[in-house]
Amino acid sequence: MLRVGVTGGIGSGKTTVCKVFESLGVPVYYADAEAKKLYAENTQLQFDLVTAFGDTIIQNGEVHKPTLLKLAFGSKETSAALNAIVHPFVFAHYEQWCVEHDSFAYTVKEAAILFESGSYRHLHAVVGVLAPEALRVARSVVRDNSTEAEVRARMEKQMSQEELARRCGYLINNDGQQSLLKQVLAIHEQLLLLAQQPSNFLS
Ligand code: ATP
């Protein structure tokens, strides 16, 4: 089974693109949503986080993400400690999900960070979703009910569109002008062909 990543900056339309893949029958793993579920449900993960960060991170029986992130982002060391605890859980969960979907020609993993986290190394191809900055800001402001400044601050911490375009093997332009369905269909056809040639796999 070919493993494909879909990534892009804030408001670029990753989830929207993934819904189109799903409509073609392709299973999609939404990494952020799955990580959220793990925080809520995985008691071993909760135990490891409490051991590292103290029990103030548990509120109403659940990991309180804002408190955890505040503690973790205090220094480079604590931030690295958080990643070192969480990543193996998410990684193992995704691996198990892949085993469960092994009968498909290919599956998609949607994640805001694939290159930064290094998880692209476990994928055979990556689709980058691009959109003009102004449109990404406008879409995010409406969707998240945030201010333009908040969206731009998050955007600045992300990989540039140029770098993303350079690193992705496939690109989708979600500028609201070109048909998403047409673009996804074209990539879908290419991925089905690639999936028939395991010798093209990167790993
Ligand atoms: P984030 O990383 O910020 O969660 P994302 O890259 O997953 O965002 P989406 O959630 O797919 O982006 O899209 C952001 C918002 O823009 C959503 O409200 C979505 O409905 C809207 N949107 C995305 N693409 C289009 C489009 N082609 N036409 C109209 N609205 C769109």
Side-chain angles (χ1 to χ4, degrees):
M1 185 264 289
L2 194 73
R3 296 176 183 206
V4 179
V6 169
T7 194
I10 178 173
S12 58
K14 295 178 291 296
T15 306
T16 307
V17 162
C18 284
K19 295 289 171 201
V20 182
F21 275 109
E22 278 191 290
S23 75
L24 300 174
V26 180
V28 178
Y29 184 89
Y30 293 93
D32 289 351
E34 294 296 343
K36 236 181 227 172
K37 274 194 235 161
L38 285 175
Y39 275 107
E41 294 165 6
N42 192 304
T43 47
Q44 183 62 50
L45 172 59
Q46 292 170 350
F47 179 81
D48 291 353
L49 289 171
V50 168
T51 305
F53 294 98
D55 56 11
T56 58
I57 63 159
I58 301 290
Q59 293 180 22
N60 301 322
E62 281 185 18
V63 175
H64 189 249
K65 276 291 277 296
T67 305
L68 173 63
L69 294 184
K70 213 170 148 190
L71 288 170
F73 291 159
S75 76
K76 252 192 184 164
E77 287 73 27
T78 47
S79 177
L82 175 63
N83 284 337
I85 293 170
V86 176
H87 279 170
F89 282 90
V90 179
F91 184 77
H93 187 260
Y94 173 62
E95 287 302 309
Q96 181 55 35
W97 183 88
C98 284
V99 170
E100 287 161 16
H101 294 83
D102 198 41
S103 60
F104 288 84
Y106 78 94
T107 60
V108 163
K109 178 184 191 183
E110 190 238 50
I113 50 167
L114 281 181
F115 296 110
E116 298 90 331
S117 66
S119 59
Y120 74 97
R121 292 193 200 96
H122 305 281
L123 301 170
H124 303 109
V126 178
V127 179
V129 183
L130 303 173
E133 194 174 299
L135 199 51
R136 290 169 57 207
V137 171
R139 283 171 179 161
S140 304
V141 163
V142 171
R143 191 204 45 195
D144 301 339
N145 202 15
S146 354
T147 64
E148 180 173 339
E150 284 166 344
V151 173
R152 287 196 182 276
R154 282 159 67 193
M155 210 174 239
E156 268 167 30
K157 290 192 188 133
Q158 297 184 325
M159 186 177 279
S160 72
Q161 297 281 281
E162 293 71 29
E163 168 113 30
L164 194 68
R166 196 177 57 72
R167 298 187 73 163
C168 293
Y170 302 85
L171 292 174
I172 289 180
N173 193 344
N174 186 21
D175 60 2
Q177 305 288 318
Q178 302 171 59
S179 158
L180 272 190
L181 180 60
K182 263 193 197 161
Q183 294 181 76
V184 174
L185 263 177
I187 291 174
H188 177 66
E189 299 296 336
Q190 292 177 58
L191 292 173
L192 288 178
L193 281 178
L194 190 62
Q196 287 170 11
Q197 303 158 22
S199 58
N200 283 341
F201 289 13
L202 299 175
S203 56

